[in-house]
Amino acid sequence: MERIISAIATPAGKGGVAIIRISGKDSLALAEKMFTPVGKTKVADFQPYRMYPGQIDGGGFSDYGLCVYFKAPASYTGEDIVEFQCHGGESVARGILKQTFRLGATPAGRGEFTKRAFLNGKLSLAATEGVADMINGESEAEVKAGFLLYSEKLTNKVRDLQAELTNILAGIDVSVDYPEEDIEEEHVEELIPRLTQLNLSVSALMASYAVGKKIKSGVTVAICGKPNTGKSSLLNRLLGYDKAIVSEVAGTTRDAVEGVLEIDGRKFNLYDTAGVRESGDRIENIGIERAESIIRSADVAVFVADYSGVADEEDARVLSMIADKPLIKVFNKIDVTRDETETDADVHTSAVTGEGIEKLKTLLYEKGYGARGEDAAFLIEERHFDALKRANESLQKAINACRIAQPLDLIGIDVKEAWDALGEITGETATESIINEIFEKFCVGK
């Protein structure tokens, strides 16, 4: 990694400020060729982590901006980094970037700055994925979960597990190397509780993926019920703007209408489905079929009715589809029919006045994510879940091998497989193809 890389680190388009980032051994020497500081200070004498004003050479033009130097190894990449902050015009930033190329820098690839941070030991592989999750996060909760990854929360937990596995492997090696001591049988019995505890710890981490997956993709909510119960109006009120067409004509919604809602920083994908009923309209029937598919695959169902009384066959048809999933029963149009005696309803709402909407949001959160609590190092990457699953399978094989008194060297193979699987999370055993695939998710300049 002797070559200097350079890229624009801010989004494309006009803005107040643009940042051009340079990383590599001779970054400061390159900056000296294109930056003239105000006063008598020379670039070669720059103090790290301080901003210096001056003139930036853009080749055919100059700009007045700032320069900052991050000295290796106390920098993001672990190498010398220089950043120019210039005015945020596209031509200004591109011109300064091209000048860095003329002076010897090469264009940075996708995520190459973060990749160098990983290769230089500044970040674990899981932490680099946390950076990507923060950049690409579409909700506050996803950004928080990404930060927990970036701050090495998961990595530290995994390394603790690996440290215990390393100790177990060391003990196995000693027993195998000194068979005359006749301690193998005793050692095998001691391994079972230690491996069982590791198995439980890995399972606990895996369990957090149920919430982490929802944080990343959002909770899918199907708003369902008979036609003309106010489902579209309810969707619009939850979103805070008119997304779905509202009409008194039953069957207006022919296809699912989608909107994204954030409650306490967590994402919900709302679907206003076509009213489920018997219809002779071929187009409406297509919408009803799609509605039924969405209802069956949803994480949470919101069943909407606008009457009190015994459910009819159409209601029963919808309820049968959602019998096995978290359900919120809504009695809507309370502003028209003020009847709160509907004991089977979880909440009474009015899409017109907004009554009951905040309670509905609270119920959505509870059904989708459970009780509100402290942030945890949720598992949000499928790759990490898969690695933990394989580690657990290897640990279980090792436990079973201990119970039938297999030789220690065979047990050691299973333990080493568990260690290797965990190493894929931190990056210690990740293949080059896995590493390259991860950094392809990044933008240029990060």
Side-chain angles (χ1 to χ4, degrees), residues 394-395 397-398 401 406 409-419:
S394 295
L395 287 169
K397 285 168 62 180
Q406 282 197 354
D409 53 348
L410 295 182
I411 296 170
I413 292 173
D414 293 327
V415 174
K416 182 61 166 60
E417 285 179 355
W419 193 99

Side-chain angles (χ1 to χ4, degrees), residues 104-269:
T106 57
R110 285 181 174 272
E112 190 168 357
F113 292 97
T114 303
K115 188 174 184 178
R116 289 191 174 198
F118 165 66
L119 295 174
N120 288 325
K122 303 295 290 184
L123 296 172
S124 69
L125 196 58
T128 68
E129 291 169 282
V131 173
D133 287 331
M134 290 182 69
I135 293 170
N136 299 318
E138 296 180 355
S139 69
E140 182 181 304
E142 192 174 349
V143 172
K144 286 181 178 179
F147 179 76
L148 289 172
L149 266 184
Y150 173 54
S151 59
E152 307 284 16
K153 295 287 186 181
L154 178 62
T155 298
N156 291 336
K157 288 177 180 289
V158 169
R159 284 182 174 155
D160 287 343
L161 296 172
Q162 285 184 295
E164 175 63 4
L165 287 170
T166 299
N167 289 334
I168 290 173
L169 286 168
I172 289 174
D173 287 342
V174 169
S175 296
V176 171
D177 290 343
Y178 297 95
E180 65 277 6
E181 298 294 332
D182 198 26
I183 60 174
E184 183 166 324
E185 184 176 342
E186 182 180 342
H187 193 172
V188 168
E189 291 180 358
E190 291 176 354
L191 283 180
I192 293 176
R194 294 175 71 185
L195 291 171
T196 300
Q197 183 56 53
L198 284 166
N199 188 262
L200 291 172
S201 297
V202 173
S203 295
L205 273 179
M206 290 172 62
S208 69
Y209 185 59
V211 174
K213 187 177 181 181
K214 291 178 183 178
I215 284 176
K216 188 151 190 177
S217 59
V219 169
T220 300
V221 179
I223 303 175
C224 53
K226 289 194 303 186
N228 213 26
T229 54
K231 298 186 299 297
S232 298
S233 298
L234 201 61
L235 173 74
N236 291 340
R237 172 61 75 166
L238 284 166
L239 296 177
Y241 63 92
D242 291 341
K243 176 76 173 184
I245 297 173
V246 176
S247 169
E248 294 180 358
V249 178
T252 298
T253 301
R254 299 298 184 96
D255 199 359
V257 180
E258 181 182 3
V260 177
L261 172 68
E262 197 168 311
I263 304 174
D264 284 1
R266 297 194 176 181
K267 186 167 67 173
F268 292 79
N269 303 310

Side-chain angles (χ1 to χ4, degrees), residues 88-110:
E90 288 188 60
S91 296
V92 176
R94 283 200 305 267
I96 293 171
L97 178 65
K98 288 178 181 178
Q99 183 66 357
T100 68
F101 297 155
R102 294 187 194 103
L103 295 173
T106 57
R110 285 181 174 272

